[in-house]
Amino acid sequence: MHIAFVTTELAPLTPGGAGAVVARLRERLTERGERVSVVLVADVDGDLPDGVTAVPSAADFDERTLAAAGALQGLIDRDRPDLIEIQDFDGLGFHALTHRTEFAIDRIPSQVRFHGPADLMFEAIGAEPP
C-alpha cells in the first residue's frame, strides 16, 4: 500500500506535535513494508528523507494551498497513492476537500487529520482536556 501525507510539520525537520505524529506514522508504516510519501508545506533547508517533497510555505493562503495541491497532484501523477491523509491546519485539508474534483484526489480515499489549538477549544467549550 502507498500512503501519502500532506502536512505543515515533520519531525525533525520542523517543530510541532503534528510533525512528530506524522514522522512516527511514517516510520512505523515503513517498518511494516508500506510505501510512504510526504508533501511537506514548510520552509526547510538541507537534504530531505526519501519520499519527502517540500513545498515552500507562503504567507498567502491561496499561494500556499495551491503549491501544496500542485505537489500532491505531481505525486499522484508519478506514483498514485492508495490513501491520502491531509492535515487540516492552515487550510490544507479544507482546500483539498473543497477542490478535490479539480485534482485526482476525488478518486483516492482521503482523510483529514484534525490539527488545531485543542487547549483553546477545550477552554472555549468549557470542557476538561482528556
Side-chain angles (χ1 to χ4, degrees):
M1 177 176 256
H2 179 201
I3 302 165
F5 292 92
V6 181
T7 182
T8 59
E9 301 172 358
L10 182 64
L13 300 172
T14 63
V21 170
V22 173
R24 187 68 178 126
L25 283 169
R26 180 177 177 266
E27 178 183 306
R28 293 184 81 183
L29 288 166
T30 301
E31 287 171 358
R32 272 187 17 183
E34 312 295 349
R35 289 184 304 127
V36 179
S37 298
V38 177
V39 173
L40 174 61
V41 184
D43 298 316
V44 293
D45 293 322
D47 294 331
L48 298 173
D50 288 340
V52 177
T53 301
V55 177
S57 181
D60 180 72
F61 171 80
D62 289 330
E63 188 177 335
R64 182 177 54 253
T65 54
L66 288 174
L72 180 57
Q73 185 66 55
L75 172 63
I76 291 167
D77 292 345
R78 285 188 315 277
D79 187 9
R80 184 181 187 273
D82 300 300
L83 173 68
I84 300 170
E85 179 179 293
I86 305 166
Q87 173 186 306
D88 190 31
F89 181 76
D90 226 7
L92 294 180
F94 174 79
H95 184 270
L97 292 178
T98 58
H99 293 84
R100 66 187 171 273
T101 57
E102 296 169 29
F103 304 100
I105 67 168
D106 62 334
R107 295 183 191 100
I108 301 172
S110 301
Q111 62 187 29
V112 175
R113 176 179 294 277
F114 169 76
H115 178 71
D119 59 328
L120 298 176
M121 288 183 244
F122 286 130
E123 180 182 316
I125 64 172
E128 290 293 320

